[in-house]
Amino acid sequence: MTSGNLSACVASLRAQLLALDLDTTDQDLLASLREVSDLVNSAHSVQTRMICALDASQRVADDANEVPVERRRGVTARVAGALRESPHNAQIMIGVARALVHEMPCTFRALAAGVLTPYRARVLVAETACLSLADRQAADIRVCGDLASLDGVG
């Protein structure tokens, strides 16, 4: 995939999913439902990486342009618009994304693998927010360090 073509590839994937023929057996529907659920979880991890990349890019641009910290706008409004969310919810999503990518790699890996839901990942971020970074990372390893142990828990 070439740079600048990402949104077209994602749109194509979405169109392919919407065009799926659902006239199949119940067993196939259940198996496919599980695969789509895992795909949604994995897609959320991609969205999380995108938010972090956009946030980092904006910080680099602000640094290069010597924008004073108190005048920096960040990416909240742009993320809110892209996700069709309120700025408040976008700010929460940015914070969760930063925590997952930079502080909780096991939780992020579980989300990317599809074995952890975005809701559960957010709960883990929220419930460990009061911990020191070292304790948060220890909890991350203990809870999500073994992907096989997460199968079936959401």
Side-chain angles (χ1 to χ4, degrees), residues 13-69:
L13 175 61
R14 184 167 52 101
Q16 289 175 38
L17 287 172
L18 291 172
L20 288 174
D21 181 6
L22 303 182
D23 187 20
T24 187
T25 66
D26 286 355
Q27 184 177 0
D28 192 31
L29 284 172
L30 282 171
S32 298
L33 186 61
R34 175 64 176 261
E35 289 298 326
V36 169
S37 179
D38 290 351
L39 176 64
V40 168
N41 297 342
S42 296
H44 193 80
S45 76
V46 173
Q47 189 178 59
T48 297
R49 287 180 36 229
M50 289 175 173
I51 289 170
C52 284
L54 185 61
D55 183 52
S57 174
Q58 184 64 58
R59 289 174 189 272
V60 168
D62 286 347
D63 287 346
N65 293 320
E66 298 179 353
V67 177
V69 173

Side-chain angles (χ1 to χ4, degrees), residues 1 5 8 12 16 27 52 59 62-64 66-67 76 86 88 100 103 106-107 111 113 115 122 125 135 137:
M1 171 179 350
N5 200 21
S12 174
Q16 289 175 38
Q27 184 177 0
C52 284
R59 289 174 189 272
D62 286 347
D63 287 346
E66 298 179 353
V67 177
T76 302
S86 70
H88 174 75
L100 287 172
E103 299 176 5
C106 296
T107 302
L111 182 63
V115 297
R122 184 172 168 182
V125 168
D135 287 342
Q137 290 174 334

Side-chain angles (χ1 to χ4, degrees), residues 72-149:
R72 293 182 180 201
R73 295 180 45 186
V75 295
T76 302
R78 291 169 38 196
V79 168
L83 299 178
R84 296 183 176 100
E85 286 283 354
S86 70
H88 174 75
N89 285 345
Q91 187 60 50
I92 291 169
M93 292 176 82
I94 292 166
V96 169
R98 285 181 191 150
L100 287 172
V101 170
H102 301 296
E103 299 176 5
M104 302 180 73
C106 296
T107 302
F108 180 78
R109 188 177 74 238
L111 182 63
V115 297
L116 192 71
T117 66
Y119 171 76
R120 298 234 188 239
R122 184 172 168 182
V123 167
L124 287 169
V125 168
E127 294 299 321
T128 59
C130 61
L131 301 176
S132 68
L133 179 57
D135 287 342
R136 182 180 235 184
Q137 290 174 334
D140 178 51
I141 292 167
R142 184 174 178 119
V143 175
C144 294
D146 177 16
L147 293 182
S149 70

